[in-house]
Amino acid sequence: MKTTMHLILTAFCLFYINTVFAQSTKIPRDTVFFKGTEHMNMLILTTDYHNLTKENRLQLILNDFHDRLIQIKGSIPENPYIIEYRYQEQLDILQSDKIKSYSLSEGKGLTENFRNQAIITDSNSSYLVNIGFNDVRVLINTDLTAMLSEIIGELPEKDRHLKYLEFRPDNQSGKVKLMENRSSGYLDMLSLQAGIGANVYRSRFLTDITGEIGLQLNHKGILRNQFYVSNNLMFAFDAENAAIINNFTSIGYRRNLSNEREKPNWLGVEFGTVTKRSGDIFQANTMRLGVNWNVGKYISISPQLYFNGFFQQVSPGFRIGIGL
């Protein structure tokens, strides 16, 4: 049992360490888009739009930006420009080389975009705000925090899927209304995988062919959790070169510890039992507990514990897999 506890503690530490180092600025974000009048629009990117209902950080950022804008309004040029503001750190006015910019759509054809931009960020990367406008006086005379409060009042219930939410002023009331609500990024999916592996068990080398079917669950645009069933066909040869085939069937769980879509980092645990036995490599009722980690795109490693005869004897094992 001491060996079992060591394996469990090792798995826990690996989960913790990878969670800490998995933080990245490339995290997919929810999109909250206010498509305003011909005077301005506002795009908000956030790791979870529901956080807007639980904290007032973005209100503080927008209010602070508005105060800074009033202080510098006499220094803003006439030509197209970009205002970059890092909350309570730095404000830059950059000249833009854009002459004209248009959005293209089948229904409306050419739509001219705003000449100027304000890009607002905070130090912990919780929010990125991009405001398009033509005249800085519009920004100065607009109560951005009040507009944000109306948007927050229209936000849908919390959702684990990545979302695109578009808001527009209602023609009759003038109040901000949610007009479009759709999921983006990855959705939940079934997966079928296969691979080969090299195993070491009690000083014996075994090769295997493994197949797996799983359910991968999305969280905020990233495939985050996976539940699966796998079948592990293991081969060895006796002194007469006759094949010795043993089969393990397992159930398992993996978690993706990366916040980048294209660079997953799966770490998991699985538990299985021998379902076909031949030779004397494994005893009847042998069970297996393993930790598996995808160290590369097609490479996995898995330290294992085998419990023979309903946990009467514990033996370590190790597997290196290609493809799975």
Side-chain angles (χ1 to χ4, degrees):
M1 290 304 294
K2 185 180 293 186
T3 307
T4 306
M5 286 302 299
H6 285 168
L7 184 66
I8 293 172
L9 288 172
T10 301
F12 176 80
C13 291
L14 284 172
F15 270 113
Y16 177 78
I17 291 170
N18 277 274
T19 300
V20 171
F21 287 99
Q23 305 306 313
S24 171
T25 57
K26 298 181 181 179
I27 302 172
R29 302 187 185 192
D30 289 324
T31 301
V32 178
F33 180 51
F34 172 71
K35 190 174 183 179
T37 63
E38 67 277 8
H39 301 297
M40 67 165 288
N41 62 25
M42 181 167 67
L43 177 71
I44 302 171
L45 300 180
T46 174
T47 52
D48 189 341
Y49 69 86
H50 197 256
N51 289 337
L52 290 168
T53 66
K54 300 187 296 184
E55 62 182 22
N56 65 346
R57 180 173 179 81
L58 187 54
Q59 286 92 328
L60 295 174
I61 293 172
L62 291 178
N63 189 60
D64 190 72
F65 170 71
H66 183 267
D67 293 342
R68 310 289 183 184
L69 204 59
I70 294 174
Q71 297 176 31
I72 65 165
K73 63 180 180 179
S75 305
I76 297 177
E78 291 293 330
N79 296 328
Y81 56 88
I82 298 173
I83 300 175
E84 291 186 354
Y85 177 56
R86 293 195 296 277
Y87 179 50
Q88 294 186 341
E89 291 184 18
Q90 188 166 334
L91 190 151
D92 297 314
I93 302 175
L94 307 176
Q95 185 172 340
S96 172
D97 57 3
K98 178 173 67 178
I99 299 175
K100 289 284 186 179
S101 176
Y102 297 91
S103 295
L104 309 179
S105 63
E106 293 183 3
K108 298 182 178 179
L110 291 173
T111 304
E112 187 172 356
N113 294 326
F114 295 106
R115 291 180 301 161
N116 307 314
Q117 282 181 294
I119 301 172
I120 306 166
T121 57
D122 63 334
S123 57
N124 61 11
S125 300
S126 297
Y127 300 102
L128 186 151
V129 181
N130 189 318
I131 303 175
F133 63 98
N134 288 328
D135 191 333
V136 72
R137 290 173 294 184
V138 172
L139 285 189
I140 293 175
N141 295 328
T142 299
D143 190 340
L144 296 176
T145 56
M147 188 172 66
L148 180 61
S149 295
E150 291 187 22
I151 291 173
I152 292 173
E154 287 287 307
L155 287 174
E157 294 294 322
K158 183 177 176 64
D159 198 304
R160 64 183 174 87
H161 294 101
L162 202 66
K163 284 290 186 177
Y164 173 84
L165 306 173
E166 185 172 306
F167 298 82
R168 299 177 194 169
D170 182 68
N171 291 332
Q172 294 182 345
S173 66
K175 297 291 185 181
V176 175
K177 297 294 181 182
L178 176 62
M179 299 298 183
E180 186 174 350
N181 177 357
R182 58 179 169 86
S183 297
S184 58
Y186 291 138
L187 299 177
D188 302 338
M189 63 178 68
L190 290 174
S191 66
L192 294 172
Q193 300 184 75
I196 59 174
N199 302 261
V200 178
Y201 172 72
R202 287 190 171 182
S203 301
R204 299 194 66 163
F205 292 93
L206 309 169
T207 57
D208 71 70
I209 299 175
T210 298
E212 177 185 295
I213 180 169
L215 173 64
Q216 300 192 65
L217 301 179
N218 157 79
H219 185 269
K220 289 302 176 185
I222 294 178
L223 295 174
R224 183 66 70 186
N225 300 293
Q226 183 184 46
F227 300 89
Y228 65 90
V229 177
S230 67
N231 203 62
N232 188 226
L233 201 64
M234 305 177 73
F235 299 87
F237 296 91
D238 60 17
E240 286 75 34
N241 260 352
I244 304 172
I245 301 175
N246 291 273
N247 191 83
F248 279 83
T249 300
S250 305
I251 58 173
Y253 166 76
R254 294 190 188 98
R255 181 169 177 82
N256 181 10
L257 302 174
S258 171
N259 288 323
E260 299 183 32
R261 288 180 183 174
E262 308 305 322
K263 296 180 180 180
N265 182 16
W266 293 97
L267 179 66
V269 294
E270 66 178 22
F271 183 76
T273 185
V274 63
T275 50
K276 175 180 173 57
R277 190 175 72 89
S278 64
D280 60 354
I281 300 176
F282 302 104
Q283 298 181 19
N285 303 317
T286 296
M287 297 182 182
R288 183 175 68 190
L289 175 67
V291 175
N292 54 70
W293 181 27
N294 288 16
V295 296
K297 192 171 183 180
Y298 301 108
I299 305 294
S300 65
I301 59 173
S302 177
Q304 301 164 335
L305 290 178
Y306 289 85
F307 302 89
N308 298 325
F310 282 118
F311 302 96
Q312 293 178 6
Q313 185 181 20
V314 180
S315 301
F318 190 81
R319 178 181 186 268
I320 298 178
I322 299 176
L324 182 63

